[in-house]
Amino acid sequence: MKIRIKFSKYGNMKFIGHLDVMRYFQKAIRRADLNIRYSGGFSPHQIMSFAAPLGVGITSRSEYVDIELLDEEVPAGMKQRLNAQMAEGFEVVDVRLLPEDAAGAMSIVAAADYTCRLRPGHEMADQGKWLEGLLEFYSRDSVPVTKKTKRGQKEMDLKPLIYELRMETGEQGPALFMKISNGSAANVKPEMVLDAYYAFLGEERPQFAWMFQREEVYADQAAEEEREAGKHCFVSLADLGEAFA
């Protein structure tokens, strides 16, 4: 059976890279005594698929990993058994049963929500006005940027890859919320959204001034012709599975 695990990553664990997170979950699954499926060959490994690698230094409320179990029924208390193996900074939030023909989490990621907030000590004199200027900047018809890739640099329009952008206010002051393209097809980082505006102002983004948190990860359930026309139907990866106790 296929299982989708939703977990949060916070505190000092935000400094742990993706490969170490993978190794951590491999050990936690073994210690939780889950009957996970292994690959064949001379070097068998646990069959698991993480939705989208999280950048170092970013916290998250919604990370996903898919695994396959050899059991015919969902193990009792699976969420509790996993959380018993979690160190501070990781917490399993939800566990869902997937259809047998469900695509892996990594292959279906299309978008993600982020909240961006200035660290204490880096506040601006008029932070709200600065964020309003950023929203106005992205109201233009196009936002051309240069993205660095493994093969060099690539010119692209950032505007169609930003699905939602708004300012939020709360106890911690104003923050920037964004829903942006994520995944293998067109991966946009929240830093890139800020960098484009800083460049427009003739400035560079101050190092370590911003805090980023991933809030949710989505698949796009719109038909291919709808996506080509710029229409989307984003569904949380958790909502694609069946909840169980």
Side-chain angles (χ1 to χ4, degrees):
M1 68 176 65
K2 294 183 178 181
I3 299 291
R4 176 161 295 158
I5 300 168
K6 179 179 181 179
F7 66 95
S8 61
K9 183 182 180 186
Y10 59 93
N12 289 334
M13 287 301 180
K14 68 182 180 181
F15 299 115
I16 301 299
H18 180 63
L19 291 179
D20 288 324
V21 172
M22 291 176 61
R23 298 187 188 102
Y24 182 87
F25 267 81
Q26 289 170 355
K27 293 178 181 179
I29 286 171
R30 285 199 300 267
R31 290 169 180 168
D33 196 26
L34 297 179
N35 192 19
I36 190 170
R37 183 187 297 275
Y38 280 78
S39 64
F42 293 102
S43 181
H45 59 273
Q46 295 179 6
I47 296 179
M48 65 170 54
S49 170
F50 283 79
L54 188 68
V56 175
I58 300 178
T59 57
S60 177
R61 296 177 186 268
S62 302
E63 294 301 289
Y64 293 92
V65 56
D66 291 352
I67 64 174
E68 292 188 26
L69 299 181
L70 296 173
D71 304 294
E72 295 183 358
E73 295 182 359
V74 176
M78 183 174 173
K79 176 181 173 181
Q80 291 73 18
R81 287 163 61 178
L82 282 169
N83 273 327
Q85 308 303 323
M86 294 289 124
E88 183 178 358
F90 284 118
E91 181 184 0
V92 174
V93 178
D94 194 16
V95 182
R96 299 257 172 162
L97 178 65
L98 297 176
E100 284 302 314
D101 60 350
M106 181 180 294
S107 66
I108 61 174
V109 172
D113 291 343
Y114 290 90
T115 300
C116 313
R117 180 175 282 107
L118 283 166
R119 296 181 187 277
H122 291 271
E123 295 88 349
M124 303 174 185
D126 196 341
Q127 187 173 326
K129 185 177 180 180
W130 190 91
L131 289 174
E132 288 176 358
L134 182 145
L135 298 180
E136 184 177 348
F137 170 72
Y138 277 100
S139 68
R140 302 184 303 171
D141 292 336
S142 65
V143 181
V145 297
T146 302
K147 181 180 179 180
K148 294 182 179 179
T149 67
K150 295 179 180 179
R151 298 181 179 179
Q153 295 184 335
K154 176 184 178 182
E155 300 296 326
M156 61 181 291
D157 183 7
L158 201 56
K159 179 66 181 287
L161 302 178
I162 300 176
Y163 307 120
E164 187 177 350
L165 197 63
R166 67 173 186 266
M167 185 171 65
E168 294 184 338
T169 56
E171 295 181 358
Q172 300 180 32
L176 180 67
F177 171 87
M178 61 179 75
K179 186 190 295 293
I180 54 180
S181 178
N182 227 199
S184 57
N187 188 35
V188 177
K189 296 181 179 180
E191 300 97 312
M192 187 186 304
V193 177
L194 291 175
D195 286 344
Y197 182 51
Y198 272 108
F200 172 76
L201 298 175
E203 304 173 5
E204 288 188 8
R205 176 169 52 90
Q207 284 191 331
F208 313 117
W210 288 87
M211 299 181 293
F212 303 99
Q213 177 162 282
R214 186 145 68 188
E215 304 290 350
E216 189 54 88
V217 179
Y218 301 92
D220 190 352
Q221 298 295 287
E224 184 175 352
E225 56 270 18
E226 291 178 316
R227 293 197 295 269
E228 291 176 352
K231 298 179 181 180
H232 303 278
C233 179
F234 294 122
V235 179
S236 163
L237 294 193
D239 291 338
L240 298 176
E242 177 186 347
F244 57 84

